[in-house]
Amino acid sequence: MRMLATGPAIALSLLVGCGAAAPQARTVDPATAPYAGHLAELFDDRIDPGALGSQLGVLDDNAGATARGDNLLRERTQVSDAVAHARVTTVTSQAEERGRSWQIGFSSVERLAGARPLDAEFVLHVAANGPAAGILLASEGGLIGKTVIAFVHAFRSPFGEDTELHFHIARDGKAELDAVRASVLLDQIR
């Protein structure tokens, strides 16, 4: 699953897909790493079940302590090109050769972290065989109207000069938002 950034300002119009490249991909920044290793684990192209609230995610009574102690959340925050508190505005699907794929539209509520610009409205394209496909099948539009935390990072494409954007979508509970903000502060004092 891959996302390609478009536009000269690296405005993260997020497109995720496997197979054919999206149109108007930007040239790779020489500092961009390949999608592999631990960074691929952090930006795993998944949507946490908790992003759906109580429908699929089990809400923990000790969520605050859990989020503050979540090393992956802290690390995602500190290495993301963009972290946004965003509302899901649309979820559409289309039939493709490999099955049904989805486009998820987001409206940014608040920029939380990261050095790269992020458009106020952005879209993720999820392939039929991608890690987020199962939750999209199970939710049947249950993401629309939900707010989430979107972690995004650009990687060098293995297929040429393009840049791929990979993501992780997490629930936006108060504990998670507070943990992201604390991670930003920790990163700033280092």
Side-chain angles (χ1 to χ4, degrees):
M1 186 170 288
R2 82 176 75 95
M3 295 184 280
L4 301 174
T6 61
I10 314 172
L12 299 176
S13 297
L14 306 177
L15 296 174
V16 181
C18 285
Q24 300 177 342
R26 74 173 181 87
T27 305
V28 172
D29 176 347
T32 306
Y35 185 63
H38 184 59
L39 285 175
E41 293 172 7
L42 291 174
F43 303 95
D44 54 8
D45 298 335
R46 292 190 185 281
I47 300 172
D48 287 342
L52 289 169
S54 61
Q55 291 178 10
L56 292 177
V58 176
L59 301 181
D60 186 354
D61 289 338
N62 198 19
T66 302
R68 281 190 304 277
D70 186 344
N71 291 331
L72 290 176
L73 183 143
R74 182 179 315 116
E75 193 173 359
R76 279 187 185 110
T77 300
Q78 293 173 348
V79 301
S80 287
D81 289 330
V83 180
H85 183 207
R87 181 174 313 284
V88 177
T89 55
T90 60
V91 177
T92 58
S93 67
Q94 68 182 43
E96 294 183 354
E97 286 180 22
R98 303 183 111 189
R100 186 162 64 165
S101 66
W102 293 265
Q103 288 189 359
I104 308 171
F106 294 88
S107 177
S108 184
V109 174
E110 175 186 6
R111 169 101 180 180
L112 299 170
R116 293 189 187 243
L118 182 65
D119 285 344
E121 306 289 325
F122 59 98
V123 175
L124 295 175
H125 177 81
V126 179
N129 60 349
I135 199 162
L136 290 170
L137 278 170
S139 71
E140 297 183 16
L143 277 173
I144 296 173
K146 300 285 186 193
T147 52
V148 299
I149 302 172
F151 301 88
V152 181
H153 196 333
F155 294 89
R156 185 178 32 222
S157 170
F159 302 109
E161 298 288 321
D162 297 337
T163 300
E164 300 174 339
L165 296 175
H166 290 268
F167 68 93
H168 183 87
I169 304 297
R171 72 184 292 267
D172 81 328
K174 180 179 178 348
E176 287 79 8
L177 287 168
D178 288 347
V180 167
R181 290 181 179 112
S183 296
V184 170
L185 292 174
L186 278 174
D187 196 38
Q188 290 173 352
I189 61 172
R190 284 187 195 183

